[in-house]
Amino acid sequence: ALCLVVLGVAACRAARFDKSVARRRPPLAMTSAYAGTPGDGTLAIGRLQRCPLRAALPDGTAVEVGPFRSNDVEAGRQLMNDVITEGRAWPFEEPFADEVSYRGYFLSHAAFVVRDLQTGRVAGAFYVKPNFPGRCAGVCNGGFITAPAFRRRGVGRLMGLAFLDFAKDLGYRAAYFNLVFKSNEPSVRLWDGLGFERVGEIRHCARLEGVDGLDTAYGYYYDLATLPGDYDPVQCFTEKKKPNES
């Protein structure tokens, strides 16, 4: 789960993207990890070289990672509101009251779902959007939610691997996740396991359900320029490799 803008040295350094990348990026409103214009989650996704992605979860379930469809939006909002109510992974306290507010947060740029190909159920959802405005818009942020019925089945890892591929194709130079709570052990294991660098720590940061006192939050960074030229997220997922081992 991701929130609060934390400008670390690594994030600022990565934000110095060259003019050729800037020309490839769509015009950006003043936005950040929290604000945006309600959209449909398809901004610039025509640039993606591999979308949708198809893979099999370790239990054999066939899934697809692709853009939101119109009938996925309410399912995505419900997933978002459920994790807000759980109070353990995201910083928000109030659910998104309507579709417009959810679209402004989650679907303002590029957003995707993991879909069970047999049942059509949404197994997970994530977005890719600028973490900071203006001169630092080359650093992206991501938010990830796995549906309860699909937790501990590999969906989070598949979304993380797809995120790296999509973010690079969209023209971002780096990814920075602002708040990964220490008590959210599956998330910590995921980003450590995918080779993200833990570059920040905010102590006494968050009031979370089921956690005594205030939890610590970590900041995670990934230099997208380090992805191999032959990086294949589905191959990495299937063969249980890190991105730089592809």
Side-chain angles (χ1 to χ4, degrees), residues 95-129:
F96 287 88
D98 53 45
E99 183 177 304
V100 173
S101 61
Y102 173 72
R103 284 180 178 272
Y105 175 69
F106 213 93
L107 301 177
S108 62
H109 288 74
F112 307 89
V113 298
V114 179
R115 186 177 293 105
D116 183 323
L117 287 174
Q118 182 174 2
T119 66
R121 295 175 63 191
V122 172
F126 67 98
Y127 61 72
V128 187
K129 62 181 176 178

Side-chain angles (χ1 to χ4, degrees), residues 161 164 193-195 222 227-228 231 236 241-246:
L161 291 166
L164 293 173
L194 291 183
Y222 201 100
L227 283 176
Y231 174 59
C236 285
K241 294 180 178 179
K242 289 185 178 181
N244 58 10
E245 295 174 343
S246 64

Side-chain angles (χ1 to χ4, degrees), residues 120-221:
R121 295 175 63 191
V122 172
F126 67 98
Y127 61 72
V128 187
K129 62 181 176 178
N131 204 336
F132 315 113
R135 298 182 188 277
C136 292
V139 180
C140 68
N141 183 258
F144 304 80
I145 304 172
T146 302
F150 288 87
R151 291 175 184 172
R152 295 176 293 279
R153 295 173 61 183
V155 171
R157 187 167 183 272
L158 179 60
M159 290 194 291
L161 291 166
F163 167 87
L164 293 173
D165 191 51
F166 294 169
K168 186 172 184 179
D169 281 352
L170 289 168
Y172 295 101
R173 295 297 299 274
Y176 185 70
F177 298 164
N178 303 314
L179 279 183
V180 178
F181 298 129
K182 181 178 180 180
S183 62
N184 188 353
E185 295 180 0
S187 186
V188 171
R189 286 196 302 269
L190 174 62
W191 307 124
D192 285 341
L194 291 183
F196 280 69
E197 182 182 0
R198 193 184 300 177
V199 297
E201 180 177 304
I202 310 173
R203 299 174 184 172
H204 311 299
C205 178
R207 293 181 291 101
L208 302 179
E209 296 293 332
V211 177
D212 291 333
L214 297 174
D215 201 10
T216 293
Y218 300 131
Y220 278 92
Y221 170 81

